Amino acid sequence: MSVELSFGEKNFIQGGIEQNLRADGRQRLDFRPMPIETGVIPQATGSARIRLGSTDVIVSVKAELGRPNSHHPGKGKVVIYVDCSSTVGPSFQGKKGEELSSELSTALQKCLLGGSGIDLSSLILVEGKLCWDLYIDGLILSSDGNLLDALGAAVKAALSNSLIPKVNILPDLAADEEPEVDIIDEEYTQIDTSSLPVIITLTKVGKQYIVDATLEEESQMSSAVSISLNRNGQICGLIKRGGAGLNPSVILDMISVAKHVSIRYIATLDSEISTAEASSAS
Amino acid sequence: MSSSLSTYAPKKLQRRFENKEKEWIRSDNRGFLQCRPAFLKTGSGNAASGSAFAEFGSTKVIVSIFGPRESKKAMMYSDIGRLNCSVSLTTFATPVRSKAMMGFEQNEKDLSSMLYKALEGVIKLDTFPKTTVDVFALVLQSGGSDLSVIISCASLALADAGIQMYDLLTSVSVARVGNNLIIDPTNEEENEQDGNLTIAYMPSRNEVSQVTLTGEWSTGKINQAMEISVAACFKLGDVLRNILRESE
């Protein structure tokens, strides 16, 4: 993800952020337009594609029948994995790409699954024996900064697009017997994504922080803090990137800024998802 | 908050958390805001240019520093030094033999990358261009708050190796159980926690070099947890300094 910028360009970006007018005309706390498409992958249970400028990500959700973990017999499982295609650029290839994909996967897991975002007990079919496993796979098609926020939003859109088939469980005779199931393909249930948090990354450039940084802006950052927030304004996860240290009061200030931004962001995301759902249904 | 019990016996996991809102006695009879007794020592390894051993309760960690030494030939020229962090767990570090455990390698990878992220902003990388410093951490016994112990121990080892840093890095983790905040949680407390905040903090610079937060938090609780951990980091910083002074 190396961007070679001249001295003048660097100055232009930094000065613009200082004066609250960024290179593409946005203010510091403005997001780029975020068109969403849902149902883009027919083989998946649910899928969504989100573009933020030239950042382009696809997330697919696959539901498979599985066995609950023996430590949590009353909970289904959710696995998040992000793949970085090397078609994005040379920096996504090989070991660097692997590192990035594991960093993004861990970050998403921490931010989205940490709290009560997805109700894992709703995925259970027979306690201790049968549950739905949700495999959430992200794919980065093109990168122009702010990958984590885009992926977080895409996961939310893909989950609300997911229809999980109803299952008839045949009453089994013995307790140790495997339950027999009958999947009804005509009836579906939806996953409740209303309490799934959104991720907002604040990138610190100079003394100011910006949301939805482009690749050029990210190259000028000293550090970035990704904060995941739910509808109630509760913080569900926080991750820091970048080497520079931050004063504890700056972190607390970032949290309150993110909280402020999240109200508008969640509303935009909700309306984009419902438009996408309406157009994919027609 | 400390209990009046005078004897201590290692106990199996006890479910003390039926009512998370009420105060309970922690399994090792600590107060909520009391860290585990710690033992730290520098210079435990011979071959390394610096090393340290840290023991916080039942969490035991060794960190060795190698270098600065010449970067591998395949590496490109760089006018700042490279930092390479690797954390490994022994097979007997966890109650279940860990190599057989799911996600074991992932755990090691996560710890390594967290250690790197915490240290990269603290070490003066421009003081050793073209060279690499290796930070190898080995968790002998995992007893909870592993990451914080690894980070604090690594900064002690780096100081022992004479690598220049902006400040000694200290790290503390705070768990939220119900409405209570407990500092330096053990494994069983981590299993019951509703949220966790781990920070790596430079006391003299008043800067956080790395922070992660999991679980659902209100802003007020974060403020409170942050205050608690910063205060603890200050104390830990003094402890580390004293150890370095004594070891000379």
Side-chain angles (χ1 to χ4, degrees):
Chain A
M1 280 209 264
S2 66
V3 191
E4 290 302 325
L5 291 175
S6 69
F7 180 73
E9 283 173 304
K10 284 179 189 167
N11 248 341
F12 184 73
I13 290 172
Q14 286 164 2
I17 288 168
E18 192 63 42
Q19 292 172 30
N20 203 10
L21 183 63
R22 289 154 71 179
D24 47 9
R26 283 184 290 155
Q27 296 195 322
R28 281 196 289 265
L29 299 182
D30 284 346
F31 272 83
R32 287 171 281 187
M34 186 170 51
I36 299 181
E37 285 172 63
T38 52
V40 286
I41 303 167
Q43 298 99 312
T45 315
S47 59
R49 176 184 182 191
I50 285 195
R51 273 167 293 177
L52 273 171
S54 23
T55 296
D56 196 340
V57 296
I58 287 186
V59 167
S60 92
V61 177
K62 278 212 177 219
E64 283 172 22
L65 287 172
R67 222 185 148 78
N69 191 315
S70 55
H71 295 296
H72 304 283
K75 284 178 175 174
K77 289 175 292 197
V78 179
V79 181
I80 301 185
Y81 177 75
V82 179
D83 195 18
C84 298
S85 152
S86 52
T87 53
V88 178
S91 61
F92 283 75
Q93 208 190 2
K95 209 179 166 200
K96 260 192 170 172
E98 265 171 45
E99 271 170 25
L100 181 68
S101 82
S102 85
E103 191 184 324
L104 288 170
S105 313
T106 328
L108 280 176
Q109 260 161 23
K110 272 187 186 159
C111 287
L112 300 179
L113 307 181
S116 56
I118 302 173
D119 183 13
L120 294 177
S121 52
S122 72
L123 298 172
I124 209 81
L125 297 168
V126 182
E127 192 173 314
K129 282 186 177 166
L130 198 66
C131 67
W132 284 111
D133 290 345
L134 294 183
Y135 292 94
I136 303 177
D137 291 291
L139 175 68
I140 296 162
L141 292 173
S142 159
S143 163
D144 188 16
N146 207 20
L147 288 172
L148 191 63
D149 296 17
L151 284 166
V155 168
K156 196 172 164 113
L159 278 173
S160 49
N161 178 243
S162 301
L163 295 172
I164 294 183
K166 277 231 165 86
V167 172
N168 255 351
I169 296 145
L170 308 179
D172 57 339
L173 303 169
D176 54 338
E177 222 170 273
E178 286 298 313
E180 277 188 49
V181 289
D182 189 10
I183 298 177
I184 313 162
D185 276 323
E186 291 81 37
E187 284 178 62
Y188 296 100
T189 50
Q190 260 192 318
I191 303 171
D192 179 24
T193 57
S194 58
S195 53
L196 194 72
V198 293
I199 305 172
I200 290 174
T201 303
L202 290 171
T203 308
K204 192 162 181 264
V205 180
K207 283 199 171 71
Q208 308 286 351
Y209 5 102
I210 52 172
V211 297
D212 193 16
T214 62
L215 207 52
E216 279 94 6
E217 287 167 336
E218 272 181 3
S219 71
Q220 298 307 306
M221 75 171 194
S222 57
S223 55
V225 175
S226 300
I227 300 160
S228 90
L229 292 132
N230 65 14
R231 218 170 278 271
N232 306 327
Q234 274 181 316
I235 290 95
C236 304
L238 191 150
I239 290 169
K240 181 179 170 293
R241 274 186 303 139
L246 287 176
N247 193 294
S249 63
V250 172
I251 294 179
L252 296 177
D253 186 45
M254 281 177 147
I255 290 174
S256 67
V257 170
K259 212 168 164 177
H260 177 71
V261 173
S262 74
I263 300 168
R264 203 160 32 113
Y265 182 63
I266 290 175
T268 321
L269 191 59
D270 281 345
S271 74
E272 283 289 345
I273 290 175
S274 53
T275 343
E277 286 290 306
S279 66
S280 76
S282 61
Chain B
M1 263 187 276
S2 67
S3 115
S4 56
L5 287 173
S6 57
T7 55
Y8 171 77
K11 285 175 195 137
K12 279 262 171 191
L13 174 78
Q14 290 184 349
R15 298 233 163 230
R16 289 164 185 269
F17 302 101
E18 271 102 49
N19 188 348
K20 287 180 175 175
E21 305 308 324
K22 260 173 51 182
E23 286 200 1
W24 67 94
I25 299 170
R26 292 175 76 171
S27 56
D28 42 10
N29 297 331
R30 270 186 293 158
F32 281 6
L33 301 182
Q34 204 178 353
C35 287
R36 289 172 288 183
F39 173 76
L40 296 123
K41 193 181 148 215
T42 54
S44 50
N46 287 330
S49 42
S51 62
F53 170 77
E55 182 180 331
F56 279 66
S58 59
T59 305
K60 298 185 179 72
V61 175
I62 298 179
V63 178
S64 305
I65 311 293
F66 295 92
R69 58 184 180 194
E70 195 185 349
S71 290
K72 276 185 201 131
K73 288 268 154 53
M75 297 276 210
M76 275 204 322
Y77 170 81
S78 146
D79 49 8
I80 60 164
R82 281 196 179 78
L83 178 66
N84 173 34
C85 297
S86 155
V87 178
S88 48
L89 276 81
T90 57
T91 47
F92 45 82
T94 45
V96 185
R97 191 174 174 277
S98 47
K99 290 267 156 119
M101 225 161 68
M102 274 260 293
F104 171 75
E105 277 179 16
Q106 189 57 41
N107 187 20
E108 282 188 339
K109 261 192 193 167
D110 284 350
L111 286 172
S112 308
S113 89
M114 292 300 297
L115 178 62
Y116 177 83
K117 284 180 188 166
L119 291 175
E120 68 172 339
V122 181
I123 298 175
K124 287 188 175 174
L125 290 171
D126 50 347
T127 56
F128 45 95
K130 296 190 276 182
T131 49
T132 305
V133 167
D134 290 310
V135 179
F136 295 139
L138 178 67
V139 179
L140 294 172
Q141 195 176 330
S142 154
S145 310
D146 295 355
L147 180 64
S148 338
V149 179
I150 294 169
I151 292 174
S152 307
C153 186
S155 100
L156 193 62
L158 282 164
D160 184 49
I163 309 277
Q164 287 190 40
M165 292 186 281
Y166 293 110
D167 191 8
L168 271 175
L169 188 65
T170 55
S171 175
V172 160
S173 120
V174 171
R176 185 174 65 84
V177 180
N179 228 348
N180 293 307
L181 293 175
I182 52 176
I183 201 164
D184 200 17
T186 61
N187 262 343
E188 48 175 276
E189 285 163 344
E190 279 182 338
N191 289 335
E192 296 289 333
Q193 73 190 6
D194 300 309
N196 183 291
L197 172 82
T198 303
I199 69 165
Y201 180 75
M202 292 178 262
S204 349
R205 279 168 70 95
N206 188 24
E207 270 184 7
V208 176
S209 82
Q210 186 51 252
V211 51
T212 49
L213 179 127
T214 53
E216 284 186 18
W217 293 73
S218 66
T219 323
K221 269 281 174 249
I222 294 186
N223 286 353
Q224 206 185 334
M226 203 81 112
E227 254 170 51
I228 293 170
S229 12
V230 166
C233 281
F234 265 110
K235 285 184 191 157
L236 186 56
D238 289 342
V239 173
L240 295 188
R241 275 203 173 76
N242 279 332
I243 286 158
L244 286 168
R245 257 185 229 119
E246 280 162 23
S247 68
E248 268 166 21

